[in-house]
Amino acid sequence: MAPGFADLALDAQRTFRRLMDSMAKPGRVTDLDVLVSPPVLGFEAAGAIALALLDFETPVWFPDDADGRRLANWVRFHCGCPVTTDPAAAAFALAGPHNVPQIDHFNAGDAKYPERSTTLLIVCPALVGGAAIDMTGPGIAEPLSIAPAGLSAAFWGAVAQDRARFQLGVDLVLTCGTQIIGLPRSTRISPSSAKGE
């Protein structure tokens, strides 16, 4: 089994702080600056976030493919978290850009507990070079654009529909290598900017 954090306490704290900073400043690229070796190449940041946040009370969803099963075994070994096949039951979900189920299949929270929505970690081929997406919302002083690779116009259209339900909706973290972009459900995107790839 591939190892987790080299220093469990310090690496988990560093990862948590940088994730919270990323969610407070949507659209900015943040480097987690922590080394982990998940069994699937490219899932370094997503794996670090999983190691920092998941425990035996945190159900997680993975794609039902070979990479998803390897990741599920690794995360379950290090965190003891239950793995669910139902996206709506997941507190967290890890996936690549080509095997993410429909956004509305995940838990959007409810009026009483909006914070119980799913946090979706999506591993992208790169955090630049894709279709430009304009964003506004809390933590964004002026309109900001991102261009992560691998995500289609249809995906961003579904995200825009999801955000129209605020305070409900899923939280997104886009990752590549050790870098992340936080997109909390309070962040609005402009569907007209999603040109597709």
Side-chain angles (χ1 to χ4, degrees):
M1 184 64 64
F5 287 137
D7 186 317
L8 180 58
L10 291 179
D11 289 345
Q13 290 171 5
R14 181 187 298 115
T15 298
F16 178 78
R17 285 196 304 269
R18 295 193 178 189
L19 174 62
M20 292 301 99
D21 185 60
S22 176
M23 296 300 274
K25 300 174 182 176
R28 279 69 169 186
V29 175
T30 299
D31 198 312
L32 295 185
D33 190 28
V34 65
L35 295 177
V36 295
S37 300
V40 179
L41 187 65
F43 277 76
E44 290 80 9
I49 292 169
L51 295 179
L53 298 184
L54 305 186
D55 61 23
F56 69 96
E57 296 181 318
T58 314
V60 188
W61 178 92
F62 297 89
D64 185 20
D65 58 20
D67 285 348
R69 288 187 287 275
R70 284 196 291 270
L71 286 166
N73 289 335
W74 182 75
V75 170
R76 188 165 40 202
F77 174 82
H78 288 289
C79 305
C81 55
V83 173
T84 179
T85 59
D86 179 7
F92 284 82
L94 280 72
H98 303 298
N99 52 13
V100 179
Q102 294 292 326
I103 292 291
D104 60 7
H105 289 184
F106 292 105
N107 183 6
D110 57 45
K112 189 173 182 180
Y113 299 107
E115 72 279 3
R116 292 182 178 176
S117 66
T118 303
T119 297
L120 176 55
L121 310 177
I122 301 179
V123 177
C124 299
L127 296 180
V128 296
I133 305 298
D134 296 330
M135 303 180 304
T136 58
I140 302 174
E142 55 188 43
L144 181 67
S145 294
I146 60 173
L151 298 170
S152 68
F155 171 84
W156 287 116
V159 172
Q161 290 183 338
D162 181 70
R163 300 304 166 86
R165 301 183 288 171
F166 184 76
Q167 298 180 357
L168 305 183
V170 301
D171 292 312
L172 296 175
V173 181
L174 308 181
T175 80
C176 181
T178 61
Q179 295 184 324
I180 64 173
I181 295 176
L183 295 175
R185 59 186 178 275
S186 58
T187 301
R188 299 290 187 267
I189 68 162
S190 300
S192 62
S193 296
K195 301 299 184 183
E197 295 182 83

